Amino acid sequence: MFDQAMVERSLEKEPDLAEAIDELEGDGLLVRGDTVANLARAMEVPAEALEATVATWNGYFDAEAAADLMFRRELEKTAPLAQGPFYACVQVSKILCTMNGIIINENAQVLDDNEEVIPGLYAAGNASGGMFIGMYPRHLPSTSTGRCATMGYVAARHAIEGK
């Protein structure tokens, strides 16, 4: 969700954004409302719930500490949702990486249900699991890629040299 103030700030950097917004709205991937309640109707969600969520968010900016108390985030790069019209994007679920999966040991060897090594079977990258249990570090780009390269190297070295 974003507001007109964000659109205006973005238009300063990307003048073609207005055309993109119109295109997304025409394709049904973006909805807008003059008020938060109108946006909620366009989103097909309860207006009272969205208004309460926006009020909670905006309230974080009134606080002296200016912090997102629910998710413990700093807010210096964000802003309240205050100036209509308000917009919301349709989100489609995608899988970025597995948060769990084939469990491996420090040598990238695949473990069975009894946590015993399956001889000759290795896994690396998003095929292996366990590294991001509990939290995915979305603020660290390419973490998954680095893990893939590192554990691929570890697996190859172990397969060739046995260490």
Side-chain angles (χ1 to χ4, degrees):
M1 182 176 166
F2 54 98
D3 69 356
Q4 187 62 33
M6 181 183 237
V7 170
E8 290 172 9
R9 286 190 304 273
S10 299
L11 281 170
E12 293 173 10
K13 298 175 187 171
E14 296 289 334
D16 296 334
L17 180 63
E19 186 178 312
I21 287 175
D22 291 340
E23 184 178 324
L24 289 169
E25 196 169 11
D27 290 343
L29 298 174
L30 181 79
V31 293
R32 93 171 69 188
D34 292 332
T35 65
V36 173
N38 288 343
L39 178 64
R41 282 189 276 288
M43 295 170 63
E44 299 179 8
V45 299
E48 304 79 32
L50 187 59
E51 288 173 322
T53 300
V54 170
T56 298
W57 173 257
N58 289 342
Y60 295 150
F61 295 90
D62 296 335
E64 215 174 283
D68 177 342
L69 303 177
M70 186 177 294
F71 296 104
R72 308 282 187 243
R73 295 179 296 186
E74 307 241 342
L75 301 176
E76 66 271 353
K77 294 184 180 178
T78 62
L81 296 164
Q83 180 185 342
F86 300 92
Y87 304 83
C89 296
V90 174
Q91 296 294 311
V92 180
S93 296
K94 304 248 187 250
I95 295 176
L96 177 62
C97 71
T98 58
M99 301 303 279
N100 212 354
I102 300 171
I103 303 300
I104 60 172
N105 66 11
E106 68 278 3
N107 298 316
Q109 295 171 291
V110 175
L111 304 179
D112 65 16
D113 289 340
N114 297 317
E115 297 186 16
E116 298 293 326
V117 170
I118 300 174
L121 185 59
Y122 295 85
N126 287 342
S128 62
M131 182 162 181
F132 299 123
I133 292 175
M135 184 193 84
Y136 182 78
R138 62 182 171 77
H139 59 286
L140 298 173
S142 300
T143 302
S144 180
T145 305
R147 174 177 174 238
C148 180
T150 300
M151 293 312 290
Y153 171 82
V154 167
R157 183 174 172 194
H158 188 271
I160 292 168
E161 301 175 9
K163 57 179 174 174

